[in-house]
Amino acid sequence: DIVMTQGALPNPVPSGESASITCQSSKSLLHSNGKTYLNWYLQRPGQSPQLLIYWMSTRASGVSDRFSGSGSGTDFTLKISSVEAEDVGVYYCQQFLEYPLTFGSGTKLEIK
Amino acid sequence: EVQLVESGGGLVQPGRSLKLSCAASGFTFSNYGMAWVCQAPTKGLEWVASISTGGGNTYYRDSVKGRFTISRDNAKNTLYLQMDSLRSEDTATYYCARRSLLPGYVMDAWGQGASVTVSS
């Protein structure tokens, strides 16, 4: 199975500051079609997950441009510029190169 | 508006069965692959199973193979998860999720979740 490892944030993050969440995969997620098969999701407190970023760097419909995804085949970063109260929650990376689909353990964001 | 509504959760004894349903609306259900993802209390997300548009292809995580069955009824716009031989470690909130039409496996819509507790 592909193991996804996420880093922690130095919580709480001051409102208006930027935050970067890291994710590392045990195998390259670069598909033969040139796309990198990594998603980012946000799970706000008490809510179900929502898609933020797919193919490593493409924002989902309706997602603020404060969110951006980048990386290589195995190392990825979700950057949130100017964090706001509504950004609070747990962020998950997920690979979909192969089954079983696997998620990182999650990174919690708290705002000060 | 895309909606996914799970039902069928509850308290069940170890070794018994439970069947979850996920009613879909707001989109053409038969055009989309679907999945179940679970979340144990205070834990992260874990993919459980996936099914293709017509139901002919199914995929499971190893820990549920032979015990869980994912299925769908496109005429009823409903996804199912039959859970047999339940164990305490199956205790979790189970979300149904829609696989987008994009290349790869992007889950672009999620239900609110159904809680399953396996305990004697």
Side-chain angles (χ1 to χ4, degrees), chain A residues 1 33 35 37 39 41 43 47-51 54-55 92 94 96 99-105, chain B residues 37 39 43-47 50 59-62 95 99 102-108 110-112:
Chain A
D1 298 1
N33 63 9
K35 300 189 186 302
Y37 276 9
N39 296 326
Y41 300 89
Q43 186 174 32
Q47 296 187 18
S48 53
Q50 65 175 94
L51 178 68
Y54 59 93
W55 298 341
Y92 294 93
Q94 176 237 329
F96 54 104
Y99 287 109
L101 309 179
T102 49
F103 292 86
S105 56
Chain B
V37 175
Q39 185 170 37
K43 301 295 185 183
L45 302 171
E46 193 170 74
W47 169 78
S50 292
Y59 307 87
Y60 300 91
R61 65 179 299 108
D62 283 350
Y95 298 99
R99 177 182 183 177
L102 299 163
Y105 212 107
V106 180
M107 290 177 277
D108 66 349
W110 297 64
Q112 86 289 348

Side-chain angles (χ1 to χ4, degrees), chain B residues 8 10 12 21-22 24 26-27 34 39 43 51 64 77 85 105 120:
Chain B
V12 62
S21 300
C22 171
F27 64 101
M34 298 293 295
Q39 185 170 37
K43 301 295 185 183
I51 189 167
V64 306
N77 293 336
S85 303
Y105 212 107
S120 53

Side-chain angles (χ1 to χ4, degrees), chain B residues 61-74:
Chain B
R61 65 179 299 108
D62 283 350
S63 62
V64 306
K65 277 181 189 173
R67 299 190 300 122
F68 289 12
T69 304
I70 188 172
S71 62
R72 64 191 297 159
D73 186 334
N74 286 342

Side-chain angles (χ1 to χ4, degrees), chain A:
Chain A
D1 298 1
I2 297 177
V3 177
M4 307 298 292
T5 303
Q6 291 187 231
L9 281 172
N11 286 315
V13 178
S15 181
E17 297 282 301
S18 67
S20 290
I21 299 170
T22 61
C23 171
Q24 191 170 54
S25 61
S26 60
K27 179 179 178 178
S28 175
L29 302 184
L30 180 62
H31 190 270
S32 56
N33 63 9
K35 300 189 186 302
T36 300
Y37 276 9
L38 178 99
N39 296 326
W40 287 99
Y41 300 89
L42 164 61
Q43 186 174 32
R44 295 189 172 103
Q47 296 187 18
S48 53
Q50 65 175 94
L51 178 68
L52 289 177
I53 302 278
Y54 59 93
W55 298 341
M56 186 178 71
S57 60
T58 304
R59 273 188 302 275
S61 176
V63 173
S64 169
D65 59 7
R66 296 185 298 104
F67 292 88
S68 62
S70 63
S72 63
T74 58
D75 293 275
F76 312 99
T77 301
L78 174 70
K79 183 176 180 181
I80 312 168
S81 62
S82 187
V83 298
E84 301 177 357
E86 66 179 20
D87 301 334
V88 163
V90 181
Y91 292 80
Y92 294 93
C93 58
Q94 176 237 329
Q95 68 80 21
F96 54 104
L97 183 71
E98 61 187 42
Y99 287 109
L101 309 179
T102 49
F103 292 86
S105 56
T107 299
K108 189 172 187 178
L109 172 63
E110 299 173 344
I111 307 292
K112 181 164 56 177

